[in-house]
Amino acid sequence: MPRLTARFWVDAYLARLRLSDIPAFVVAHGDDTGGAVLVKLATLDGNAVLFQRSFDLMTGDRRWVELSSGVEREVDDIVARQRGFDPDLWVIEVEDRQGRHLLDQDGLT
C-alpha cells in the first residue's frame, strides 16, 4: 500500500484541526517525504501529552500511542531528546484546553 508523505499528512492534519477551531503549529519541520511525526497536545494548564504513531506488527495497523504525559516542560525535554536522535522528525503542537487532538478520527492513523 502506498504511503502518504509526511508533509502531506501534516498539512491534512493541520487543516482538519483548523476546521475544528483547534490551534496547532509546526514546531519542528522534518523531512518532507519520510519524516516521523510527534504530536504534542498542550492543555494550557501547564501539562501536555506527547503522541507518536506506532505500527502493530501483528495486525499491520497503525495507531497513535501516548509516548509521554505530564508537566509540559518535561514533555518538551522528551521532544528535544527525540529530535536529537532523529533530525528528520516533525513536531506538531496542538493547543486545546479540552484535550482534543483528533488523532483518533478516521484517516489520521
Side-chain angles (χ1 to χ4, degrees):
M1 175 189 286
R3 288 184 39 187
L4 297 176
T5 65
R7 177 62 185 254
F8 186 88
W9 187 90
V10 166
D11 288 345
Y13 180 53
L14 293 174
R16 191 173 291 186
L17 289 166
R18 255 190 317 275
L19 290 172
S20 296
D21 292 322
I22 301 172
F25 312 92
V26 175
V27 176
H29 186 288
D31 180 72
D32 283 344
T33 305
V37 179
L38 293 179
V39 175
K40 175 186 155 191
L41 170 63
T43 51
L44 305 175
D45 61 356
N47 294 303
V49 182
L50 185 63
F51 296 95
Q52 72 176 3
R53 193 162 33 181
S54 177
F55 185 73
D56 186 333
L57 294 174
M58 298 296 286
T59 65
D61 292 337
R62 294 172 193 247
R63 62 187 178 98
W64 288 93
V65 296
E66 185 178 306
L67 179 62
S68 179
S69 65
V71 177
E72 187 171 7
R73 183 172 301 140
E74 293 171 6
V75 172
D76 287 339
D77 290 343
I78 292 168
V79 170
R81 279 196 301 275
Q82 292 293 321
R83 291 195 62 219
F85 300 136
D86 184 359
D88 294 332
L89 185 67
W90 287 81
V91 180
I92 309 302
E93 183 165 336
V94 177
E95 296 180 345
D96 189 68
R97 291 185 193 283
Q98 298 171 32
R100 299 174 298 163
H101 51 70
L102 308 183
L103 294 172
D104 51 354
Q105 291 189 350
D106 289 337
L108 290 176
T109 56

